[in-house]
């Protein structure tokens, strides 16, 4: 039986090589131990990196763990990686993503009704980026697809789980149909101005997933 120190060392190497989030289940299978112990070891590693003020941190995403860089070092990483172009989500894509995140599981028809405009192309773009997936079928007429967010969505926006989504009251919510009159309805999620990394005027960014 390996010591806890050896097991943590092994998990550290596995996360580094794997690149993608390492699931507790995969870690337990490789180490031939139970999931509870692997989860505890990974969380111990996570705390150690934080306590030591390391430039690399461990992020937990739906019972999976992944190496990430410290957000405070973002400016240095940007200087190193320039002039790499970053593809950014358009406002339409952020709008649809927000509706799906807060209303999931949700049908395309429900998304269209909320936005007041067809969203098929935007949804396809989000699915291509693996941020949205079909998570079931509705019981309604025709049994349309139900959409939900993925672990890639959590990873992209730095959430450990959907419980970390900001309070909806922190966003400006505006009905597309009433945009000109600026009428607001707290029960109606229409055009949502998200405080995510969308910068349509960024010279180094490319807007994608346009409606």
């Amino acid at each position: 039986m390996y010591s806890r120190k050896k097991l943590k060392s092994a998990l550290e190497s596995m996360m580094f090589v794997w690149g993608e989030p390492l699931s507790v289940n995969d870690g337990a299978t490789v180490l031939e131990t139970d999931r509870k112990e692997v989860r505890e070891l990974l969380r111990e590693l996570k705390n150690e990196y934080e306590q030591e003020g390391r430039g690399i941190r461990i992020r937990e995403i739906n019972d999976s763990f992944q190496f990430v860089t410290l957000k405070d070092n973002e400016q240095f990483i940007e200087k190193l990686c320039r002039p790499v172009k970053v593809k950014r989500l358009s406002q339409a894509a952020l709008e649809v993503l927000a509706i799906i995140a807060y209303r999931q599981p949700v049908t395309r028809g429900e998304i269209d009704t909320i936005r007041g405009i067809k969203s098929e192309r935007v949804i396809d773009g989000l699915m291509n980026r693996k941020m949205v997936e079909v998570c079931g079928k509705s019981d309604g007429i025709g049994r349309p697809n139900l959409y939900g967010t993925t672990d890639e969505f959590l990873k992209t926006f730095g959430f450990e789980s959907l419980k970390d989504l900001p309070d909806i009251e922190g966003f400006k919510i505006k009905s597309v149909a009433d945009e000109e009159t600026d009428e607001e309805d707290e029960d109606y999620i229409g055009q949502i101005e998200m405080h995510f990394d969308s910068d349509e005027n960024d010279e180094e960014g490319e807007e994608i997933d346009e409606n």
Side-chain angles (χ1 to χ4, degrees):
M1 185 67 180
Y2 296 113
S3 66
R4 290 179 68 84
K5 182 177 180 181
K6 179 62 178 178
L7 290 174
K8 283 199 290 187
S9 174
L11 287 168
E12 198 170 17
S13 296
M14 289 162 63
M15 278 191 293
F16 179 80
V17 172
W18 197 240
E20 294 297 317
L22 177 69
S23 71
V24 168
N25 186 59
D26 285 342
T29 299
V30 172
L31 298 178
E32 299 181 350
T33 187
D34 63 90
R35 291 192 295 270
K36 181 179 179 181
E37 182 177 15
V38 169
R39 189 180 298 109
E40 289 176 354
L41 291 169
L42 286 166
R43 285 177 176 167
E44 281 183 21
L45 270 173
K46 181 175 182 286
N47 291 334
E48 288 171 10
Y49 272 76
E50 291 174 358
Q51 291 169 6
E52 293 174 11
R54 305 289 292 275
I56 298 294
R57 297 296 170 88
I58 297 173
R59 181 167 61 192
E60 181 175 354
I61 308 168
N62 274 352
D63 218 28
S64 295
F65 294 77
Q66 181 184 35
F67 279 129
V68 295
T69 56
L70 180 65
K71 184 174 177 58
D72 291 348
N73 292 336
E74 181 179 2
Q75 57 179 314
F76 308 115
I77 296 172
E78 285 182 348
K79 288 181 181 179
L80 177 66
C81 296
R82 283 179 181 173
V84 176
K85 288 188 174 181
V86 178
K87 291 185 177 181
R88 299 180 183 275
L89 290 170
S90 67
Q91 182 60 36
L94 284 173
E95 188 175 291
V96 171
L97 193 55
I99 294 170
I100 294 174
Y102 283 97
R103 290 290 186 91
Q104 61 185 309
V106 61
T107 66
R108 194 184 77 196
E110 291 170 329
I111 297 169
D112 291 347
T113 299
I114 290 170
R115 296 186 68 222
I117 189 171
K118 290 186 178 297
S119 307
E120 181 177 8
R121 183 179 171 190
V122 183
I123 294 172
D124 287 344
L126 291 170
M127 290 185 70
N128 287 336
R129 295 196 68 174
K130 303 186 185 303
M131 289 191 177
V132 168
E133 65 182 359
V134 175
C135 58
K137 292 281 188 179
S138 169
D139 292 330
I141 298 175
R143 292 184 57 78
N145 288 333
L146 289 169
Y147 296 95
T149 54
T150 64
D151 285 353
E152 183 65 26
F153 162 76
L154 296 177
K155 183 173 71 173
T156 298
F157 292 106
F159 300 139
E160 290 188 3
S161 70
L162 292 175
K163 293 179 181 179
D164 294 331
L165 281 171
D167 191 332
I168 193 66
E169 294 180 359
F171 299 122
K172 182 177 181 182
I173 303 175
K174 187 186 298 182
S175 164
V176 173
D178 296 331
E179 187 173 11
E180 293 183 0
T181 58
D182 203 31
E183 294 179 7
E184 295 185 356
D185 183 350
E186 63 182 5
D187 295 324
Y188 182 87
I189 301 182
Q191 182 173 333
I192 302 179
E193 298 180 7
M194 302 289 290
H195 300 309
F196 291 152
D197 244 354
S198 174
D199 187 351
E200 299 177 4
N201 298 317
D202 193 323
E203 294 180 358
E204 295 181 10
E206 291 182 358
E207 188 174 282
I208 64 171
D209 294 331
E210 287 288 3
N211 181 1

